[in-house]
Amino acid sequence: MKHQILICGAGIVGLSTALALARRGQRVAVLSPRNQIAPAAADHYHPRVYAISPASQRFLAELGIWDAMPQARLMPVTAMEIHGDGDGRVDLNAWQAAQPQLAWIVEAGEIERVLIQAVQMFGIPWIDERCTGWRPGEVQTDGGRTLQAELFVGADGAASPLREAAGMKHEATSYHDIGLVVHLDAERAHQSTAIQWFRDDGVLALLPLPDTSAGAQVSMVWSMREEPARALMALAPEAQTAELERRLADATHGRLGALRVRSKLHGFPLTLERAQMVAPGIALAGDAAHRLHPLAGQGLNLGLGDVQALAETVAAREAYREAGDLRVLRRYQRARAEPVLAMRLATDGLHRLFGSRAAPLVWLRNAGMHWVEAVPFVKRQLIEGASRN
């Protein structure tokens, strides 16, 4: 049997792609080991959370996913504080752009759990195997099967087996940073505000989460230089907790009062990556196609933008073209070129700007933050630009 479209990968981007294409009348199947995620227990939150933009929220609502998630576990972000490494500061509020919120903080596990249910309810075939090889028009699996399709979608993560098997171009540059993630109890209420500090030792962000029985809760994402991050990760649990809480007190100046570790500390290397997005019969989406520094929190939003553009482009193709026709896939590539490049330049540029210790740049970046803070129009443009991703 030849599939019309075969999605390699069953993460958020992969399952969203399958659902978006199926809802547009395309014949889709998923190729990936099957994963079941149980509903999270009260007071327990998935270690990875995402900042979902208004555009991504609308797309998930169109897929029927948004309203299926427990609303009590979704946290709107109505304001953001950005602190420079000097006296620079920018405050962004949703009302400045006449919006109800800037973003939503959502657990990765909750999105995946609801997507799995939706794909199953939609009757989308799911092949519980991995992609291990590729040649034009077909993939090989670890179950010994050869599967044919008009179009293969690589939504299988930054290490994409499909991309590697097909020999598609891929460039990766290490930032020599580690992304440290942990949930914290906060002494003071976060008031639905995300707070970010650009520091000598990296970029620290505290993202608001729903309260627990212990009170206010935030999720920490600290993009820390490799050497101190690895040293922190290597400490014994009690020493690690004490050291992290000490560093947080120093970095945040008590903005949310005392911060106490409430979950396991996770770390992952940060890289800037881009890949050849399309080839005859293959399209890449999400981390398989591009990966950014997380300081703007836009990685998943870009991935969901890929999904929406790919689904719309493939479904709108001429009747005489197959789903994997390179002319069709190049339309998808063109649709995504500008937003992906713009976000890559913005995040990489900010990382380089705040990574330099040269005195003129230190003065310039903090002076720039003062200027942005003083000009309402610029702040409104920043908010509206982020909302479209």
Side-chain angles (χ1 to χ4, degrees):
M1 174 186 174
K2 182 176 181 179
H3 298 279
Q4 185 181 49
I5 304 172
L6 190 63
I7 313 296
C8 298
I12 295 173
V13 171
L15 295 179
S16 296
T17 304
L19 196 58
L21 285 164
R23 290 175 68 93
R24 287 169 171 80
Q26 307 303 299
R27 291 188 292 106
V28 184
V30 174
L31 171 64
S32 179
R34 192 179 292 272
N35 189 24
Q36 295 292 342
I37 300 175
D43 280 0
H44 177 78
Y45 283 75
H46 193 275
R48 173 163 284 189
V49 300
Y50 291 110
I52 300 295
S53 69
S56 292
Q57 185 272 334
R58 289 191 295 272
F59 179 55
L60 291 174
E62 290 171 8
L63 294 181
I65 298 303
W66 190 258
D67 290 339
M69 289 189 287
Q71 299 301 296
R73 298 184 73 93
L74 307 178
M75 173 55 62
V77 179
T78 58
M80 187 171 185
E81 289 178 19
I82 306 170
H83 299 262
D85 54 348
D87 61 352
R89 172 170 169 167
V90 175
D91 289 283
L92 301 176
N93 287 275
W95 60 262
Q96 291 168 328
Q99 296 183 7
Q101 61 272 321
L102 298 174
W104 293 85
I105 305 301
V106 187
E107 299 160 85
E110 285 301 299
I111 305 176
E112 290 182 26
R113 182 179 62 80
V114 175
L115 277 169
I116 290 169
Q117 294 174 346
V119 165
Q120 292 172 339
M121 291 178 63
F122 221 82
I124 296 173
W126 191 320
I127 302 162
D128 191 8
E129 298 176 22
R130 297 178 187 275
C131 168
T132 57
W134 179 89
R135 56 176 176 258
E138 61 186 38
V139 295
Q140 293 79 46
T141 75
D142 59 358
R145 287 202 271 182
T146 296
L147 304 173
Q148 297 181 329
E150 295 177 15
L151 171 62
F152 296 94
V153 178
D156 44 357
S160 175
L162 176 63
R163 184 191 68 214
E164 295 305 308
M168 299 176 73
K169 293 180 182 177
H170 172 246
E171 300 174 0
T173 303
S174 174
Y175 278 114
H176 302 293
D177 289 349
I178 300 291
L180 299 177
V181 176
V182 71
H183 295 336
L184 307 165
D185 288 324
E187 185 178 17
R188 298 177 186 165
H190 51 61
Q191 297 180 318
S192 297
T193 300
I195 313 170
Q196 190 170 42
W197 290 265
F198 287 88
R199 296 170 41 83
D200 291 350
D201 54 1
V203 184
L204 168 63
L206 297 181
L207 306 177
L209 286 176
D211 291 353
T212 70
S213 58
Q217 177 189 201
V218 294
S219 180
M220 181 200 86
V221 182
W222 199 333
S223 304
M224 189 180 290
R225 304 290 181 253
E226 269 185 336
E227 187 175 341
R230 294 194 187 282
L232 182 62
M233 294 288 290
L235 293 175
E238 289 187 7
Q240 182 187 88
T241 295
E243 177 63 12
L244 180 57
E245 290 177 355
R246 184 193 68 78
R247 292 191 187 192
L248 283 165
D250 176 67
T252 65
H253 304 289
R255 170 63 180 80
L256 293 178
L259 296 169
R260 304 300 180 202
V261 172
R262 63 171 288 113
S263 69
K264 181 180 178 181
L265 181 67
H266 296 270
F268 51 93
L270 303 182
T271 55
L272 177 67
E273 302 182 34
R274 58 180 173 179
Q276 176 186 345
M277 207 160 183
V278 301
I282 300 179
L284 302 181
D287 283 355
H290 42 71
R291 202 174 188 194
L292 309 176
H293 196 285
L295 60 86
Q298 293 296 321
L300 180 60
N301 293 318
L302 276 185
L304 291 175
D306 294 345
V307 173
Q308 189 169 17
L310 180 61
E312 290 173 352
T313 302
V314 170
R317 72 188 185 279
E318 298 87 347
Y320 59 85
R321 296 194 190 279
E322 289 193 340
D325 190 309
L326 188 57
R327 294 175 184 82
V328 175
L329 300 183
R330 280 178 175 158
R331 296 169 194 165
Y332 158 63
Q333 183 180 35
R334 287 194 295 271
R336 296 304 294 153
E338 183 179 348
V340 171
L341 176 61
M343 189 56 64
R344 183 168 70 239
L345 292 175
T347 55
D348 190 52
L350 280 171
H351 179 268
R352 292 174 184 274
L353 177 63
F354 280 91
S356 173
R357 304 312 307 153
L361 282 180
V362 172
W363 176 85
L364 179 64
R365 61 198 177 217
N366 285 281
M369 295 181 77
H370 284 301
W371 178 77
V372 170
E373 178 63 17
V375 184
F377 172 75
V378 175
K379 296 167 79 169
R380 185 166 64 251
Q381 293 298 109
L382 285 173
I383 294 169
E384 291 175 350
S387 298
R388 287 192 294 269
N389 288 319

